[in-house]
Amino acid sequence: MSFTRLMRRVLCGSALLVTGIGAFAQANITRIVVPFNAGGATDGYVRLIAEEMTKRGIHTFVENKPGASGMIAGDAVARSKPDGLTLFMGSNSTLANNVVLFQKMPYDPAKDFAPVSHIGYQPSILIARASAPFSTLKDYVAYAKANPGKVNRASVGAGNITNLAGVMLDKAAGIQTTHIPYTGDPLAIQALLGDQVDVYVGSLTIVLPHVKAGKLRVLGVFDDQRLEQLPDVPTLQEAGHPLNAYAWYCLMAPAGTPPATVEKLNKTVNEILQDKDFAARASQLGVVRRGGTPQDLAKFIQSEYDKWAPVITGLGLAKTM
């Protein structure tokens, strides 16, 4: 099944589920609040999880609340009743990076949420419009050096890895780009396709059809290994810039959610992540599945904060927003 067909199936199923919410008015319906627009690979992955949760008796739908580097969605969940019926799709930015970037946040990632499960991650890639005056990472760096500030670089938020990875590359390569934020992958990619921006750091799956069609180019991979789908595209390390960056995702409940409820949700999500059919569909979306206990997730989030906080501070971005 192609990525496009898979996304249509996921979105159609989610639409039917939302339509049927009225019929479940007296029942317990679980919602997963996603801090991005609908249509991206991350949103599609969470919708697959929601679909599988529903099959297992936890009727679930996805609600998209993009904006403010994910803090609108995070705040909505943090203020929700801690009954296990409202979950937050947390990420690098919403649970770790924003703490360092922003002077004030509407919620405390360490105090206002109860970890449920680490659900997956995606390696970051540097993508360029096909009509850009560079076709390799080396050419991109050379062009940006010769034209400081003229390269428009898209992201889905200042605290998101789509921006931070780009900023890291700017610093490492000694170049200056102009940051253009969007509220989700689809809008950023449309800007690339429309020649409104020059580059974007994102994940492979949502852009792969455009890459195969020659409409977009992948210049480099922010990981230790090349991508299986694009074996000719070098890692940034191979190109002389040893930078790793990936987007990770997890499910969080409001603080105070009963431990038994968290345990039930964790068990269900782990069963889904280990399901062979789900694994195949997750692979099509380019997501590497994770899993584990709530305690594992809490330790992971802390390790990510410890990793990125000094990077953000070293880039001069701490408390600048």
Side-chain angles (χ1 to χ4, degrees):
M1 184 185 297
S2 67
F3 171 75
T4 301
R5 290 180 61 192
L6 176 61
M7 287 301 297
R8 285 176 180 170
R9 173 182 170 184
V10 170
L11 291 172
C12 180
S14 298
L16 290 173
L17 182 57
V18 172
T19 302
I21 288 176
F24 287 110
Q26 303 304 317
N28 290 332
I29 306 296
T30 299
R31 64 170 176 154
I32 302 177
V33 182
V34 174
F36 308 124
N37 282 324
T42 306
D43 174 73
Y45 183 61
V46 177
R47 287 175 186 272
L48 286 181
I49 291 177
E51 178 184 325
E52 293 297 322
M53 288 174 67
T54 298
K55 289 179 182 178
R56 288 164 171 79
I58 302 177
H59 300 293
T60 308
F61 73 100
V62 170
E63 179 180 352
N64 300 90
K65 283 184 175 293
S69 289
M71 291 188 291
I72 293 176
D75 186 43
V77 175
R79 295 174 182 272
S80 297
K81 186 177 180 180
D83 54 10
L85 298 180
T86 301
L87 302 176
F88 177 45
M89 192 226 77
S91 62
N92 315 51
S93 55
T94 56
L95 298 176
N97 301 341
N98 284 353
V99 178
V100 190
L101 286 164
F102 289 88
Q103 298 182 34
K104 185 177 181 180
M105 292 179 64
Y107 60 85
D108 185 329
K111 297 180 180 179
D112 293 340
F113 297 107
V116 175
S117 181
H118 187 176
I119 59 176
Y121 76 93
Q122 292 175 298
S124 297
I125 57 174
L126 180 64
I127 311 154
R129 58 185 175 91
S131 57
F134 41 80
S135 58
T136 67
L137 183 59
K138 181 179 179 180
D139 292 341
Y140 166 68
V141 171
Y143 179 85
K145 283 185 176 180
N147 299 274
K150 292 186 178 181
V151 173
N152 290 326
R153 177 177 53 79
S155 87
V156 297
N160 195 277
I161 198 66
T162 58
N163 177 48
L164 294 178
V167 172
M168 279 203 317
L169 178 57
D170 281 6
K171 295 290 185 179
I175 61 178
Q176 178 186 348
T177 60
T178 298
H179 177 217
I180 310 293
Y182 292 86
T183 57
D185 286 317
L187 293 178
I189 292 166
Q190 281 302 119
L192 267 181
L193 293 170
D195 291 345
Q196 297 167 10
V197 295
D198 302 300
V199 295
Y200 173 58
V201 175
S203 59
L204 174 65
T205 310
I206 196 169
V207 301
L208 187 56
H210 302 302
V211 173
K212 289 183 175 180
K215 297 179 180 180
L216 296 176
R217 299 171 182 161
V218 179
L219 305 182
V221 182
F222 288 82
D223 205 357
D224 293 329
Q225 298 181 344
R226 294 190 179 196
L227 294 172
E228 179 182 347
Q229 298 92 331
L230 296 175
D232 294 331
V233 177
T235 65
L236 267 72
Q237 183 170 351
E238 291 177 90
H241 307 291
L243 304 174
N244 285 1
Y246 47 84
W248 52 264
Y249 320 112
C250 64
L251 294 181
M252 308 288 282
T257 300
T261 301
V262 172
E263 183 179 351
K264 178 182 177 182
L265 289 167
N266 175 266
K267 180 180 179 181
T268 301
V269 172
N270 278 325
E271 288 177 354
I272 292 169
L273 296 175
Q274 294 167 11
D275 182 84
K276 291 184 179 180
D277 179 63
F278 178 84
R281 290 189 289 167
S283 179
Q284 283 186 283
L285 292 175
V287 179
V288 181
R289 295 165 295 128
R290 298 296 291 184
T293 68
Q295 294 75 23
D296 292 335
L297 175 57
K299 292 178 181 178
F300 174 78
I301 293 173
Q302 183 61 52
S303 71
E304 282 292 288
Y305 174 84
D306 293 341
K307 171 184 176 181
W308 287 102
V311 172
I312 295 170
T313 300
L315 292 173
L317 298 176
K319 306 298 181 183
T320 58
M321 303 177 193

